[in-house]
Amino acid sequence: MADSTKTTRGSGLSRRGFLKGISAGGVATGLVGGAAVQHGKVVEAAPAVVGPGDTAIKLKINGEVKSLTVEPRTTLLDALRNRLDITGAKKVCDRGTCGACTLWIDGQPAYACSVLAIDAEDSEITTIESLGTPERMTALQQAFVNNDAQQCGFCTPGMIMACEAFLKENPSPTRDQVRDGISGNLCRCGTYHGIIDAVLEAAKTMKGGA
Amino acid sequence: MATPQWPKMEKRALLGKRISRLDGPVKATGQAKYAYDMNRPGMLYARCCFAPYGAMKINGIDASAAEKAPGVRAVLVEQNMIGDEVRYVGQILATVAADTEEQAHEALRLIKVDFERLDMVLDDMNPANATGKPSGKEEGTVDDAMAAAKVVSEGEYGIPVITHCCLEAHGQVSEFKDGEMTFWPSTQSVSAYAEGMDQSIEVEQSKIHVDCQYMGGGFGSKFSHDQWGVIGALLSKQTGRPVKLMLERDQELMVAGNRPSAFGKVRVAVSPEGKMTAIDADVWGTGGNGGYRMPPVPYVFEGIPNVRNKGQGIKTNRGSQRAWRAPSHPQGCFITMAAVEDAAAAAGIDALEFFKNNLDLTSRPEVYAEQLDIAAELIGYKTKAHLRGQGEGPVRRGIGISIHTWGGMGHPSNCDAIINPDGSVEIRLGTQDLGSGTRTVVGIVAAETYGLPLEAITVSMGNNKYPFSSASGGSTTVGGVSSSTRIACTNALNALLEVVAPRLGVAPEALEVAGGKIFESAKPGNSIAWKDACGLMGPNPITKQGANEQKASQDLKLIDAGVGGVQMADVSVDIETGVVTLNEMVAVQDCGLIVDLKTAESQVYGGLIMGITYALYEEALYNHKTGRMLNGDLEFYRLAGLKDIGQLKVHMMTTEKYDSRGVIGLGEPPVISPGAAISNAVANAAGVRVPHLPLTPERVIVALQKGGILV
């Protein structure tokens, strides 16, 4: 895989394009120049060339603006974990397959391993750290505990972020809809049975049906 | 005086109830810190340069350019590899430690390795490649029994190498400071992690500290500190900085855990009464660069009177085998149960009837009979079952059966129970929680012993400063820690009862504890609250140790070994596309006394799902010319997802008969049968045996064509 040592900042490739299963290195090449649709608007690309080497950026994470330096090729996942010590999102496949690094970008679930940090500059990034705490969990997190939807727990933060986003779009899901909706997240311990029950329980609780 | 035996079922407040795991909230909120999440001040990131081919002669390794690369603080070359041979792809040749992960990755590309390619062996399906010494036995008169049989069925079966594929890769953070080394590893063995490491890193055993509160999956692959544990420590010593070394996904799948393959040719003789009278099995497979142990064939039906079996290993140029959840059992179970079901089909006998009719050949006929009935009821066997090949139409449905066993005797474990004057309780032991719920089990046992709520107990574990507890493998942990915790807690409680007895005006023997109170058994009104009782202790806490000594604990019926389990699968096979759909799976499992029903059931669900995964999807594919893994990622090394698992039903045997045996481990048993049960269901549906797992569409189509069902 080719590594990007030089790329552009604030390029207009949509996140959706990113997530179509291409790796971060491959994407970088496709970034240079051109216009693309982002958030439904046509964005003119006026790329300032950055890199190679450290580049100062600002990321808005859980409502807080953080300044940091990254290489242009640094993924959002590595920026969070290695530069900012925000470790809820996990690094497992690093190829956009397993969902363990799922977080939200502008409210939409995304794989942090498949987004470059420099391309997340103008977005609102939400990680599991901004949801509940052990003392005050969200309805879904509580349902994960109640239904033992976790064993080793390594896939759990990504699962939670995917399931919370799924419930926003599908407040009254059926069992089969949960199976479809969360099929992008993998677990090795085999907690899927509990996860389905947890999502269904949380949907009920969130509607006040406890 | 309190006695260590388990309380009677009707007197239990917590044991056997459905209780949420203690570390559920910290995991569900992303706050649990795993080895991979440990960030230390000034920490370096290490990455390994690994052998790109399965067999190479290494003439030299030149790391001079890498050493000068930006951010690089140290490069550790595996000097002993120079002049030596690489035996599997992924073998470590050098490791770079740099300020950032990106810099370490970049520097790897500057390492020049001078090598020659060598010939290699990758094919484990061909028994002619076997080099190991054959093992096996011959009992009775196999040939005579075959000749006298009503039916002799014959089949070929195979289960490939799969990986452990822990979601948290192997690795650790190591920090050398003031002559002491601290490790934060992802490990199944906290107390013994540093064993054998002191000489290679030149740090005394007593100055090695190990901490692992959470770990992202092991499944038998994380017992050792491994080569990368030593490398990380040496790099930390050399640079004076903490070092994080976690394997990358491809390396994780290549070198950090392979389950041995198993292929077999098996013949089974069936008497006119429908009894198996002889089995003849030729089994082979590979443990990669490691050794090979013949899987047990016949499995469970060990009483077949005439047995001939032979097993032989093939050394291949791929990573060494490691223990994989229930070592050898899924392989032995698959080959045996598939052969048994083939025998039933050849004799024209319903599979359930055939299994039942042959249970006297097992060591637990009554347990299996009871479990088969329960499983049959749960899956609706009566209405769904048919003889092999009686399905019709393009999508055909079938049911498959398998039975399994496991030991699960609690391992050596030591525990300190501490009762403080303020009434708080702390339990300390050097065990680890792999996600199986060890922390919660320890808490439940302590709370039950003291008649306190679970929240009143502090469980301190996951650190080698606590009393030694063995590695977590082979379903030995829950038995080990339940027993050591129960004994330690009882010892501490008896010391407290000695203190309290005079206040209540009775002998300590007359006292018991429940509901947060210590009281006279004969006169419960004569009582003192737990906290007030502890206040009588004076300034010093009571600390007592407990140890699980297997024989003694077994005599006390705290623990036992040997369980039975039955699984049934209901599948649909699309005979035009070869696609197998799992409709439903049922697991009926015995594990003695259940400490926490909720996490126990999770082990069984998890076992089923892991089993469905290896039955339908998993296979480590290697290029036979280069020795490289072709699917060293999570896209093509497929794990089952939420859509693939069908409907699952779990039934635990909880009656007094099972409960009275004491605690028996549960991690391994439920993962043993799925391959066999699903394969048998596919054979039942499709009308033909698909000989090899995983049951991919291609394999199903080939089998259907060979069987003349698809032309």
Side-chain angles (χ1 to χ4, degrees):
Chain A
M1 184 179 73
D3 284 288
S4 74
T5 48
K6 184 177 272 194
T7 184
T8 55
R9 181 202 289 259
S11 75
L13 190 78
S14 74
R15 213 164 5 266
R16 196 169 291 276
F18 257 116
L19 297 180
K20 278 188 177 163
I22 32 180
S23 62
V27 168
T29 331
L31 270 179
V32 188
V37 178
Q38 194 175 31
H39 312 304
K41 292 176 294 191
V42 175
V43 181
E44 276 305 313
V49 174
V50 295
D54 280 350
T55 303
I57 61 166
K58 286 190 171 70
L59 292 176
K60 194 172 180 195
I61 302 159
N62 303 328
E64 242 181 275
V65 177
K66 308 261 190 187
S67 298
L68 64 155
T69 56
V70 294
E71 287 191 44
R73 62 174 160 186
T74 304
T75 63
L76 176 58
L77 179 64
D78 285 344
L80 290 171
R81 295 179 52 83
N82 297 349
R83 307 292 202 281
L84 299 170
D85 197 27
I86 296 172
T87 58
K90 298 290 185 266
K91 189 166 178 170
V92 174
C93 73
D94 210 21
R95 293 286 189 281
T97 320
C98 73
C101 63
T102 304
L103 41 63
W104 304 339
I105 298 178
D106 297 326
Q108 293 296 310
Y111 295 151
C113 73
S114 303
V115 177
L116 295 177
I118 58 167
D119 274 323
E121 264 210 286
D122 302 318
S123 304
E124 298 264 355
I125 298 156
T126 310
T127 72
I128 188 153
E129 282 81 0
S130 75
L131 301 186
T133 62
E135 296 74 31
R136 271 185 82 84
M137 289 184 281
T138 66
L140 178 75
Q141 287 169 325
Q142 184 64 57
F144 260 59
V145 174
N146 296 346
N147 292 280
D148 209 31
Q150 44 186 357
Q151 288 189 31
C152 84
F154 210 68
C155 72
T156 307
M159 283 284 182
I160 294 275
M161 295 308 283
C163 292
E164 293 271 12
F166 169 80
L167 280 170
K168 275 197 242 171
E169 299 277 327
N170 306 274
S172 310
T174 63
R175 235 182 150 76
D176 280 345
Q177 284 171 330
V178 178
R179 287 178 192 272
D180 280 344
I182 314 301
S183 61
N185 287 62
L186 297 175
C187 165
R188 183 52 158 164
C189 299
T191 57
Y192 299 136
H193 183 84
I195 289 168
I196 297 170
D197 286 346
V199 173
L200 294 174
E201 182 189 305
K204 220 167 145 188
T205 312
M206 286 157 92
K207 284 184 301 196
Chain B
M1 294 295 260
T3 53
Q5 284 90 340
W6 298 117
K8 290 199 179 340
M9 288 178 88
E10 65 276 8
K11 292 199 83 172
R12 295 175 193 164
L14 296 170
L15 281 176
K17 306 279 189 300
R18 277 197 176 80
I19 296 167
S20 295
R21 64 180 65 229
L22 285 175
D23 50 14
V26 81
K27 285 179 175 174
T29 52
Q31 294 193 8
K33 289 277 182 189
Y34 297 77
Y36 216 142
D37 302 331
M38 289 297 161
N39 289 326
R40 303 289 301 166
M43 189 177 77
L44 304 176
Y45 294 83
R47 285 208 175 181
C48 302
C49 163
F50 58 77
Y53 299 105
M56 302 155 68
K57 166 95 187 297
I58 304 294
N59 298 318
I61 301 170
D62 176 7
S64 54
E67 279 165 356
K68 292 187 201 98
V72 172
R73 304 288 168 170
V75 182
L76 193 73
V77 172
E78 298 300 315
Q79 298 293 345
N80 60 341
M81 286 307 298
I82 299 170
D84 203 350
E85 288 178 12
V86 160
R87 292 177 180 83
Y88 56 92
V89 72
Q91 208 165 341
I92 297 172
L93 300 177
T95 308
V96 173
D99 290 339
T100 70
E101 212 172 329
E102 293 84 356
Q103 288 167 334
H105 177 77
E106 193 69 37
L108 282 185
R109 295 142 57 99
L110 302 173
I111 296 173
K112 290 195 180 71
V113 179
D114 177 15
F115 67 90
E116 296 155 43
R117 296 264 308 267
L118 302 172
D119 291 337
M120 65 186 99
V121 178
L122 267 304
D123 184 3
D124 57 342
M125 288 175 68
N126 182 1
N129 285 338
T131 48
K133 212 177 133 211
S135 60
K137 64 175 180 186
E138 180 150 8
E139 286 171 4
T141 49
V142 173
D143 295 332
D144 294 349
M146 294 279 177
K150 182 191 170 204
V151 174
V152 175
S153 73
E154 194 166 352
E156 270 191 63
Y157 313 94
I159 182 165
V161 171
I162 65 169
T163 77
H164 295 65
C165 196
C166 310
L167 292 198
E168 182 183 31
H170 284 63
Q172 73 289 318
V173 172
S174 21
E175 182 170 317
F176 186 69
K177 207 172 165 183
D178 304 327
E180 314 224 334
M181 186 71 77
T182 304
F183 290 102
W184 291 271
S186 185
T187 183
Q188 294 178 237
S189 177
V190 166
S191 287
Y193 175 79
E195 250 173 34
M197 190 189 233
D198 42 350
Q199 289 188 350
S200 19
I201 65 169
E202 293 176 329
V203 179
E204 285 169 49
Q205 207 48 255
S206 63
K207 291 184 175 166
I208 302 178
H209 313 290
V210 180
D211 189 84
C212 172
Q213 297 302 317
Y214 308 99
M215 61 89 73
F219 315 110
S221 67
K222 288 181 178 167
F223 291 123
S224 161
H225 50 258
D226 279 310
Q227 188 185 1
W228 42 86
V230 173
I231 291 172
L234 291 176
L235 284 169
S236 180
K237 272 187 90 173
Q238 193 180 330
T239 58
R241 307 259 295 260
V243 173
K244 182 186 280 188
L245 199 180
M246 305 301 295
L247 299 186
E248 292 180 73
R249 182 53 44 185
D250 55 350
Q251 202 176 12
E252 173 74 20
L253 293 183
M254 288 186 285
V255 306
N258 287 293
R259 184 175 84 175
S261 60
F263 301 90
K265 286 183 183 166
V266 185
R267 290 189 305 144
V268 176
V270 182
S271 74
E273 295 77 34
K275 289 268 187 196
M276 291 186 282
T277 53
I279 184 165
D280 184 1
D282 192 356
V283 182
W284 67 94
T286 186
N289 187 55
Y292 189 75
R293 190 174 66 171
M294 182 176 78
V297 180
Y299 180 69
V300 180
F301 291 105
E302 289 164 329
I304 295 175
N306 304 291
V307 175
R308 184 194 293 135
N309 60 21
K310 188 185 121 198
Q312 206 170 4
I314 300 172
K315 204 144 185 127
T316 52
N317 292 85
R318 46 205 276 175
S320 290
Q321 59 96 8
R322 292 179 180 220
W324 193 102
R325 205 169 175 182
S328 299
H329 282 230
Q331 298 96 317
C333 180
F334 167 66
I335 291 175
T336 304
M337 299 304 157
V340 168
E341 208 266 353
D342 279 352
I349 302 170
D350 168 77
L352 179 58
E353 191 189 324
F354 191 77
F355 270 75
K356 281 183 149 181
N357 194 31
N358 282 280
L359 288 180
D360 57 332
L361 303 174
T362 75
S363 56
R364 289 188 181 73
E366 284 166 28
V367 172
Y368 290 125
E370 191 180 354
Q371 292 180 333
L372 279 166
D373 285 342
I374 295 169
E377 182 69 32
L378 284 172
I379 208 158
Y381 193 90
K382 259 187 203 158
T383 51
K384 290 182 190 165
H386 57 73
L387 290 177
R388 179 183 288 190
Q390 284 183 348
E392 280 178 12
V395 178
R396 298 180 184 178
R397 209 157 164 171
I399 293 189
I401 305 171
S402 175
I403 65 180
H404 58 258
T405 185
W406 187 254
M409 170 74 89
H411 60 202
S413 169
N414 296 279
C415 171
D416 280 349
I418 301 156
I419 303 175
N420 290 305
D422 66 358
S424 63
V425 174
E426 185 186 355
I427 310 300
R428 294 178 177 167
L429 64 180
T431 188
Q432 50 279 319
D433 192 333
L434 276 52
S436 41
T438 309
R439 189 177 265 113
T440 313
V441 160
V442 169
I444 289 171
V445 169
E448 181 78 46
T449 308
Y450 294 141
L452 295 173
L454 184 55
E455 305 77 60
I457 310 295
T458 300
V459 181
S460 299
M461 48 171 276
N463 195 298
N464 69 342
K465 69 186 171 192
Y466 300 132
F468 180 95
S469 214
S470 302
S472 290
S475 303
T476 57
T477 306
V478 167
V481 302
S482 300
S483 167
S484 65
T485 303
R486 176 73 177 174
I487 293 168
C489 287
T490 305
N491 291 342
L493 176 61
N494 281 330
L496 177 64
L497 294 182
E498 295 273 352
V499 173
V500 173
R503 167 67 69 99
L504 295 177
V506 292
E509 292 75 19
L511 296 175
E512 63 182 285
V513 59
K517 283 179 186 169
I518 297 176
F519 56 91
E520 189 182 343
S521 305
K523 204 166 55 169
N526 183 22
S527 71
I528 182 169
W530 173 266
K531 206 171 170 188
D532 297 337
C534 296
L536 302 173
M537 279 163 40
N540 294 320
I542 294 172
T543 302
K544 293 287 174 190
Q545 191 156 75
N548 178 45
E549 283 156 15
Q550 291 177 332
K551 177 72 175 64
S553 296
Q554 207 175 4
D555 289 346
L556 289 167
K557 297 210 163 203
L558 284 172
I559 59 171
D560 204 356
V563 296
V566 165
Q567 294 186 3
M568 291 191 191
D570 166 358
V571 305
S572 292
V573 180
D574 185 325
I575 65 157
E576 289 168 355
T577 63
V579 171
V580 175
T581 306
L582 189 85
N583 302 315
E584 187 172 339
M585 220 170 153
V586 166
V588 181
Q589 187 61 49
D590 140 40
C591 70
L593 184 152
I594 293 171
V595 179
D596 179 3
L597 188 53
K598 189 181 277 193
T599 49
E601 285 174 344
S602 289
Q603 281 301 300
V604 183
Y605 284 117
L608 281 175
I609 292 167
M610 235 175 155
I612 291 165
T613 301
Y614 76 71
L616 297 181
Y617 309 115
E618 270 183 281
E619 179 171 17
L621 296 167
Y622 277 71
N623 180 304
H624 286 198
K625 289 223 156 58
T626 62
R628 272 198 85 93
M629 189 175 185
L630 296 169
N631 54 350
D633 53 52
L634 287 182
E635 190 176 3
F636 297 105
Y637 188 87
R638 249 203 89 191
L639 301 181
L642 269 129
K643 287 175 79 170
D644 303 317
I645 59 168
Q647 167 118 4
L648 307 177
K649 289 181 185 161
V650 168
H651 180 96
M652 306 300 293
M653 308 302 283
T654 53
T655 55
E656 216 267 329
K657 175 169 75 169
Y658 296 93
D659 179 277
S660 62
R661 298 179 59 199
V663 179
I664 311 173
L666 179 63
E668 333 287 301
V671 87
I672 298 169
S673 268
I678 294 168
S679 177
N680 284 346
V682 168
N684 184 248
V688 61
R689 170 70 55 187
V690 183
H692 291 176
L693 299 185
L695 299 159
T696 57
E698 182 202 5
R699 289 200 173 102
V700 173
I701 290 288
V702 168
L704 286 165
Q705 285 170 335
K706 273 193 182 165
I709 291 162
L710 190 68
V711 284

